[in-house]
Amino acid sequence: MTSESLAEAITRAGSPVELLRNQNWPAFTFPVAPEFTNWRDEQRSWNTTVALMDQSHHMTQLFLGGADLLPLLGTISPNTFATFRPGVAKQLISVNKDGYLIGDGILFYNEDAPEGLVLVGHHILIDWVRYNVEKAEAAGKDVHYRLEANSHMRQGPPTFYRYELQGPFANEVMEKLFAGPVPEVKFFHIGDFTIAGRTVKGLRHGMAGQPGFEFFGPWADSEPVRDAILEAGAEFGIHRVGAKAYSATPLESGWVPTPFPAVFDDDLAEYREWLPAARIGSVAGSLISDDVRDFYLTPYDIGLGRSVRFDHDFHGREALERHAAAPRRRKVTLLWNAEDVAGVVRSQLEPGTPAKFLDFPKARYGLYQMDEVRRGEDLVGISTDAGYIAYEQLYMSLATLDEGIDDGAEVEVVWGENPVSAKDSVDQDHRQVRIRATVAPAPYHEWARTVYRA
């Protein structure tokens, strides 16, 4: 029995918005221990000591190869491939014909991998790339892929382990591991290392607002490499980071993890016939509209404009050039008012209908969290990922706001649904509330510490 396609599901539901608002999407839990100590100390560790995050299991991986692969990717992505080469990585993005974002992921050019390139991330962009590779392969192009689902959906171990080492003492841990200085590796470049006698690749980047590396290598080497890192980090207070703490890292790095995919226009009609409806996910939050385009985001709305290069032709280029010339919104952090957050929590302990439950450390209850941001009665943006950061003792969210709303301005996040959707993940008995929030940059760290807390 074949699964229902996205196109069929939209016809059944009546519209994309009705489908995504009411479709069940299982609560996502990272397939590692929820906590190794407690999530508050684990969160604090990447700001105070050093943290080890196991990224081996929760991401989907798409292994890509073939002589025609890079030209194909160039036709569906505004990223440049003019200088893309082994030993580097990039944040790959793709847009529809109107320049709205389909998704993003990290593309590794790993010459040691059999397929050569590996796209890592949520399945949203990966599915779109798979579709285009299949079409090109059917047309006789030299392209191919191998899909590796995350550990919730896959039997057996992954191809690679992936360990993120972050924090103020990350360099000291690495110096002990390498018995000498940490080799200089440029940002988003891949270096070669040896840990516990095993050859290890390391991507230089900073995921949680702190410098560090993402180490990866064959799964067979995962335990000795992990144990060596933990042993080297013991004297520096290393913490293994569990699923709860890890889920909050995007709030600190300023990365919107699952932007709403702009796949509902005419140019992607065949794609919707190809894509199983079960893979599209669900939308949660107070943003209500009959027009699915009101949920769309441009790369510039959420800080991905740096990945755009107009040095080649690609699907959506003309429209994206217009967005680049006149960006409508910008990515920000919203620092939620402590009294209002406390009021939401307090409502769970008082008689009457409570506010929508606010979870700690993350408050996302759909694959795409889309909450209205208002200034007075004016809709001025969308709040996405929301949660609590123990080190700052702040509840916050990543958002995209209309240009002209400056850092320091006060807005309101509309929290809860009205009408309440039919998803199992939303508590049916709740009332909608407004939570005041202060606009801050994304990432927010320096501004919050020098201005907001001053």
Side-chain angles (χ1 to χ4, degrees):
M1 181 178 177
T2 58
S3 61
E4 184 182 37
S5 73
L6 177 56
E8 292 168 334
I10 292 171
T11 299
R12 170 178 53 78
S15 74
V17 174
E18 281 302 302
L19 174 68
L20 270 69
R21 283 200 79 233
N22 296 298
Q23 175 162 272
N24 280 321
W25 180 262
F28 187 82
T29 55
F30 297 95
V32 296
E35 297 168 290
F36 289 98
T37 53
N38 66 82
W39 63 261
R40 281 82 57 200
D41 286 344
E42 291 168 11
Q43 272 194 0
R44 293 184 182 103
S45 66
W46 60 69
N47 283 294
T48 58
T49 55
V50 63
L52 180 64
M53 311 172 194
D54 187 347
Q55 301 173 328
S56 309
H57 299 287
H58 70 281
M59 291 293 191
T60 302
Q61 298 190 103
L62 186 67
F63 295 85
L64 295 158
D68 296 322
L69 178 63
L70 290 184
L72 170 64
L73 292 178
T75 66
I76 63 170
S77 173
N79 293 85
T80 183
F81 293 91
T83 59
F84 197 46
R85 61 196 183 280
V88 299
K90 65 170 66 233
Q91 190 168 14
L92 186 75
I93 66 174
S94 196
V95 298
N96 73 0
K97 67 175 175 58
D98 293 324
Y100 292 106
L101 189 68
I102 293 173
D104 71 308
I106 304 301
L107 184 66
F108 293 76
Y109 203 141
N110 181 11
E111 57 189 335
D112 294 338
E115 294 88 350
L117 276 71
V118 187
L119 179 59
V120 181
H122 289 284
H123 65 278
I124 304 161
L125 175 64
I126 284 174
D127 285 342
W128 173 238
V129 172
R130 280 201 300 137
Y131 167 76
N132 282 279
V133 171
E134 286 187 14
K135 282 186 63 178
E137 191 173 21
K141 298 293 186 181
D142 180 14
V143 292
H144 55 270
Y145 74 80
R146 175 171 64 89
L147 178 67
E148 185 172 280
N150 66 36
S151 293
H152 279 308
M153 305 172 68
R154 184 194 66 248
Q155 298 296 318
T159 299
F160 295 128
Y161 67 81
R162 295 186 183 276
Y163 297 136
E164 182 84 13
L165 189 68
Q166 299 279 348
F169 292 104
N171 275 355
E172 285 82 350
V173 175
M174 288 188 286
E175 287 172 358
K176 191 171 179 180
L177 277 171
F178 306 145
V182 180
E184 288 290 331
V185 179
K186 293 181 180 179
F187 185 74
F188 252 52
H189 283 59
I190 301 168
D192 292 304
F193 304 91
T194 300
I195 298 176
R198 274 72 171 179
T199 300
V200 172
K201 295 284 187 181
L203 174 67
R204 176 73 174 85
H205 73 117
M207 182 169 179
Q210 291 287 344
F213 277 89
E214 176 184 318
F215 295 114
F216 61 98
W219 177 254
D221 295 341
S222 59
E223 288 192 16
V225 170
R226 180 199 63 205
D227 292 346
I229 295 172
L230 291 173
E231 182 179 352
E235 68 175 282
F236 303 103
I238 195 168
H239 275 71
R240 291 183 72 181
V241 172
K244 285 187 174 182
Y246 179 80
S247 69
T249 55
L251 294 170
E252 296 207 49
S253 62
W255 171 62
V256 177
T258 51
F260 189 93
V263 298
F264 299 98
D265 291 342
D266 291 344
D267 58 321
L268 272 70
E270 290 184 8
Y271 176 61
R272 294 193 296 276
E273 296 282 356
W274 175 90
L275 185 69
R279 291 184 70 82
I280 195 60
S282 66
V283 65
S286 58
L287 182 62
I288 300 292
S289 174
D290 292 331
D291 187 351
V292 70
R293 293 164 186 81
D294 289 338
F295 295 79
Y296 285 3
L297 304 164
T298 76
Y300 302 97
D301 290 344
I302 56 172
L304 295 177
R306 64 184 181 277
S307 296
V308 174
R309 295 291 184 275
F310 297 112
D311 62 355
H312 64 293
D313 290 327
F314 58 87
H315 187 68
R317 172 174 171 166
E318 184 178 344
L320 196 55
E321 286 181 315
R322 293 195 295 270
H323 291 309
R328 59 172 186 166
R329 289 177 176 163
R330 67 182 181 105
K331 180 178 68 174
V332 302
T333 305
L334 299 181
L335 307 179
W336 292 19
N337 180 276
E339 290 183 2
D340 292 354
V341 171
V344 172
V345 176
R346 187 173 59 249
S347 74
Q348 313 296 321
L349 306 172
E350 298 174 334
T353 303
K356 170 75 185 71
F357 189 79
L358 189 64
D359 217 343
F360 285 69
K362 286 297 287 292
R364 202 167 79 192
Y365 59 97
L367 185 59
Y368 319 110
Q369 188 70 36
M370 306 288 279
D371 289 303
E372 291 184 349
V373 181
R374 292 194 172 269
R375 204 173 189 188
E377 293 307 310
D378 295 330
L379 179 65
V380 296
I382 301 170
S383 172
T384 63
D385 217 32
Y388 176 76
I389 299 299
Y391 180 72
E392 308 287 2
Q393 294 182 216
L394 289 170
Y395 216 97
M396 63 185 67
S397 63
L398 296 173
T400 180
L401 294 190
D402 292 350
E403 290 283 353
I405 300 179
D406 296 330
D407 295 340
E410 185 176 272
V411 294
E412 292 180 309
V413 177
V414 181
W415 180 246
E417 296 185 349
N418 184 23
V420 178
S421 62
K423 295 184 298 295
D424 290 344
S425 59
V426 60
D427 24 333
Q428 294 298 305
D429 187 24
H430 79 264
R431 58 184 167 88
Q432 201 173 68
V433 298
R434 292 194 177 196
I435 299 173
R436 290 169 290 172
T438 300
V439 179
Y444 65 90
H445 304 85
E446 183 177 352
W447 190 91
R449 294 164 192 172
T450 60
V451 178
Y452 185 71
R453 290 296 201 191

